[in-house]
């Protein structure tokens, strides 16, 4: 049922967007193995924590050693946090999903990507020779179990705490906060992964509310680069090149209206924090406020972003993208629901 919906939506969107003047002349649209994965990607169900852990172990066991797992810490409520690794290239890419418990679809896309990379075809194997992919799927399992934004720490106090619930995990990545004293163990676990592996590129997957462009088209994806002060020009450039690649790919293949996310300045937001530490660092916001049918499309969209960035990094086209074109990505349209970074 979802597959039919995904293909139909993709086709009609491609027709509508074929003449889009938003970003004329993309130079670097990836076109690799992820295109052929279309039939296998969609939303069948959301994974509970137990199902997520089972799925990760199954993916690893069926991968002939390609996908390895480790635990990188525990949530505030004691759930193990997992890191999945695949590939053996020198360039490392880190994807994190579901820092906000009620934003689940990046996790579903990450599971499908890991499953694909565990049994890669020739094209994927060539990509995995060049990169190592690190994935923290569902950074915030406690919030996910309750389907709310925060972690579970009802007695929390201070900055970015919602009493009775917990902390906003995506405000606690500031490099000035040492992971050993970070009050948010989920953010500290990601900080430690970054410190151990020094990835070149970090992408953080979220959902936002529903927004429309000036023309009334529904925006399905907003993206942004680090904008806090102190991020090196090199890190901003790489982040913008990743944004241009994402925008060109999604627009070219008709997956989404893409816009700039109106990101704020706190250093503890992952997008800013890992930019401050020198990585290319990008926020990806899928549309929220979703029904089951469009959820399958959004999982596919996240999958395409994840897969096409790996291809662009491995083949070197990411570095050929013109970073100044990121500033031409349109600003997000009218406010419909709460923002979610
Ligand atoms: Zn979010």
């Amino acid at each position: 049922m979802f597959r039919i919906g995904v293909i139909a939506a993709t086709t009609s969107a491609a027709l509508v967007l074929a003449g889009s003047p938003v970003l004329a002349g993309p130079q670097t649209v990836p076109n690799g193995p992820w295109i052929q994965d279309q039939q296998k990607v969609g939303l069948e169900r959301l994974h509970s924590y137990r199902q997520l852990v089972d799925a990760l172990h199954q993916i690893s066991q069926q991968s002939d050693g390609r996908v390895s797992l480790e635990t990188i810490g525990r949530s505030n409520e004691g759930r193990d946090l997992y890191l999945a690794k695949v590939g053996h290239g020198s360039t490392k890419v880190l994807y994190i999903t579901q820092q906000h418990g009620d934003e689940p679809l990046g996790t579903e896309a990450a599971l499908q990507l890991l499953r694909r990379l565990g049994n890669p075809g020739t094209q994927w194997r060539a990509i995995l020779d060049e990169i190592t992919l690190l994935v923290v799927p569902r950074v915030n399992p406690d919030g996910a179990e309750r389907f709310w934004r925060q972690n579970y720490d009802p007695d929390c106090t201070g900055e970015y705490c919602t009493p009775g619930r917990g902390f906003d995990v995506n405000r606690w990545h500031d490099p000035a906060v040492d992971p050993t004293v970070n009050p948010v163990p989920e953010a500290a676990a990601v900080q430690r992964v970054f410190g151990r592996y020094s990835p070149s590129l970090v992408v953080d997957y979220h959902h936002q509310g529903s927004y429309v462009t000036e023309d009334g088209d529904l925006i399905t994806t907003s993206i942004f680069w680090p904008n806090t002060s102190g991020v090196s020009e090199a890190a901003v450039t790489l982040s913008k090149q990743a944004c241009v690649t994402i925008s060109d790919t999604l627009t070219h293949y008709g997956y989404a209206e893409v816009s700039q996310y109106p990101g704020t300045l706190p250093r503890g937001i992952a997008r800013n924090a890992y930019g401050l530490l020198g990585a290319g660092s990008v926020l990806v916001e899928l549309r929220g406020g979703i029904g089951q049918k469009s959820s399958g499309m959004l999982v596919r969209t996240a999958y395409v972003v994840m897969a096409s960035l790996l291809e662009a990094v491995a083949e070197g086209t990411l570095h050929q993208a013109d970073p100044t074109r990121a500033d031409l990505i349109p600003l997000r349209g009218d406010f419909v629901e709460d923002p979610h970074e």
Side-chain angles (χ1 to χ4, degrees):
M1 175 173 129
F2 286 123
R3 287 174 185 169
I4 293 168
V6 167
I7 292 165
T10 303
T11 304
S12 63
L15 291 172
V16 171
L17 293 172
S20 172
V22 170
L23 284 171
Q27 305 143 344
T28 53
V29 178
N31 62 356
W34 51 273
I35 288 179
Q36 295 146 27
D37 296 341
Q38 175 151 346
Q39 294 295 325
K40 302 183 182 72
V41 175
L43 182 67
E44 291 164 11
R45 60 193 162 85
L46 294 179
H47 288 69
S48 69
Y49 177 74
R50 190 71 256 159
Q51 290 168 335
L52 172 69
V53 173
D54 288 348
L56 287 169
H57 284 290
Q58 185 196 53
I59 288 167
S60 179
Q61 286 160 7
Q62 294 177 350
S63 73
D64 200 19
R66 290 189 181 89
V67 178
S68 63
L69 299 177
E70 60 180 282
T71 54
I72 55 169
R74 284 190 172 160
S75 70
N76 204 50
E77 207 171 29
R79 293 184 173 87
D80 285 328
L81 305 173
Y82 282 85
L83 172 69
K85 293 184 290 185
V86 58
H88 39 271
S90 57
T91 303
K92 298 183 182 68
V93 176
L94 171 62
Y95 291 163
I96 65 177
T97 72
Q98 212 170 352
Q99 292 201 71
H100 296 140
D102 55 354
E103 302 173 19
L105 297 184
T107 301
E108 300 298 327
L111 283 175
Q112 296 185 26
L113 180 66
L114 288 168
R115 197 177 298 281
R116 163 54 55 212
L117 298 184
N119 292 279
T122 307
Q123 286 179 288
W124 271 126
R125 282 202 293 274
I127 290 170
L128 293 173
D129 285 340
E130 301 298 324
I131 59 118
T132 298
L133 174 64
L134 312 162
V135 183
V136 183
R138 193 171 291 169
V139 174
N140 177 10
D142 300 351
E145 289 298 290
R146 296 166 173 83
F147 212 70
W148 71 33
R149 178 181 177 91
Q150 297 81 9
N151 73 349
Y152 183 69
D153 190 357
D155 299 326
C156 68
T157 57
E159 272 200 303
Y160 307 116
C161 150
T162 302
R165 288 198 171 195
F167 287 105
D168 186 334
V169 177
N170 197 28
R171 294 295 181 276
W172 285 96
H173 297 266
D174 187 338
V177 177
D178 190 277
T180 58
V181 298
N182 192 327
V184 182
E186 297 88 356
V190 178
Q191 288 183 306
R192 287 193 300 267
V193 168
F194 186 93
R196 196 181 330 147
Y197 292 99
S198 297
S200 305
L201 180 65
V202 180
V203 186
D204 180 20
Y205 293 86
H206 290 252
H207 294 224
Q208 60 185 344
S210 295
Y211 294 83
V212 293
T213 66
E214 288 181 357
D215 296 332
D217 294 323
L218 198 61
I219 290 167
T220 52
T221 303
S222 293
I223 55 181
F224 205 43
W225 51 87
N227 66 340
T228 199
S229 63
V231 180
S232 71
E233 191 176 333
V236 171
T237 296
L238 183 59
S239 306
K240 287 186 170 184
Q241 288 173 317
C243 286
V244 167
T245 300
I246 293 167
S247 178
D248 284 351
T249 301
L250 293 182
T251 303
H252 180 79
Y253 291 100
Y255 283 107
E257 287 277 343
V258 179
S259 63
Q260 290 183 35
Y261 186 83
T264 53
L265 300 174
R267 294 163 47 97
I269 293 174
R271 168 180 55 80
N272 286 327
Y274 299 113
L276 285 166
L277 289 169
S281 184
V282 174
L283 165 77
V284 174
E285 292 268 353
L286 301 166
R287 182 165 61 86
I290 46 178
Q292 265 199 325
K293 276 193 178 176
S294 58
S295 295
M297 179 64 175
L298 296 182
V299 172
R300 174 67 189 168
T301 301
Y303 181 94
V304 165
V305 172
M306 291 174 174
S308 61
L309 278 178
L310 296 184
E311 182 191 354
V313 171
E315 296 183 352
T317 54
L318 189 80
H319 289 278
Q320 294 165 15
D322 176 359
T324 65
R325 293 178 58 240
D327 298 306
L328 303 178
I329 297 169
L331 302 176
R332 195 178 64 178
D334 293 342
F335 176 86
V336 181
E337 294 175 30
D338 289 336
H340 271 289
E341 181 179 27

